[in-house]
Amino acid sequence: MGTPDGDSLVKQIVTHEDFIAALATHSETLVVIDFYAVWCRPCKMIAPKVEGWAKEYGKDVIFYKININENAQTAEICKVKSMPTFQFYKGGEMIDQVFGNKQDVILERIEKHK
């Protein structure tokens, strides 16, 4: 579950079971899930920023990413309709979400919920 890609601090969630386990493991911490697709240009553009946030927030905020083509089950259950979609979880429940490459809004939501 959730292995980093190379030196990445943002762990990849491959299965729906991994998704459930990640939320359970970090129930007291803000978890940010980046739903993306490899063909999505805005997803590629924001990826380095997400890495930077993961470094900046350390253990205060946990970042994961889900490739919607490889983990379509979780994307469907989470009602992801566009990429990128950022969902924010605390206590295993989704508390917020942002659609698109809206860096200022995403950062504001991280600060609000951490």
Side-chain angles (χ1 to χ4, degrees):
M1 179 221 5
T3 57
D5 298 330
D7 294 331
S8 176
L9 295 174
V10 182
K11 298 174 184 70
Q12 181 80 35
I13 293 178
V14 178
T15 68
H16 189 65
E17 291 75 20
D18 290 347
F19 172 75
I20 298 298
L23 294 182
T25 301
H26 302 291
S27 63
E28 301 298 315
T29 308
L30 177 63
V31 175
V32 179
I33 309 284
D34 172 9
F35 289 90
Y36 76 99
V38 294
W39 47 262
C40 166
R41 185 176 305 251
C43 300
K44 290 178 184 178
M45 291 171 57
I46 199 167
K49 200 69 173 164
V50 177
E51 280 293 328
W53 294 331
K55 236 177 244 177
E56 179 182 341
Y57 287 100
K59 303 239 184 265
D60 294 332
V61 180
I62 306 299
F63 291 84
Y64 287 99
K65 59 185 175 180
I66 295 177
N67 181 330
I68 59 111
N69 293 314
E70 294 176 359
N71 190 348
Q73 179 185 15
T74 302
E76 184 177 323
I77 289 169
C78 293
K79 297 178 173 48
V80 173
K81 303 289 186 213
S82 63
M83 270 72 59
T85 293
F86 290 84
Q87 293 185 345
F88 303 80
Y89 290 82
K90 224 173 197 178
E93 300 294 322
M94 186 175 68
I95 56 173
D96 212 338
Q97 64 183 332
V98 175
F99 304 104
N101 182 352
K102 300 175 183 163
Q103 297 177 23
D104 292 343
V105 177
I106 295 164
L107 191 54
E108 178 261 318
R109 302 287 169 83
I110 291 169
E111 287 293 325
K112 175 181 176 183
H113 297 301
K114 72 175 182 169

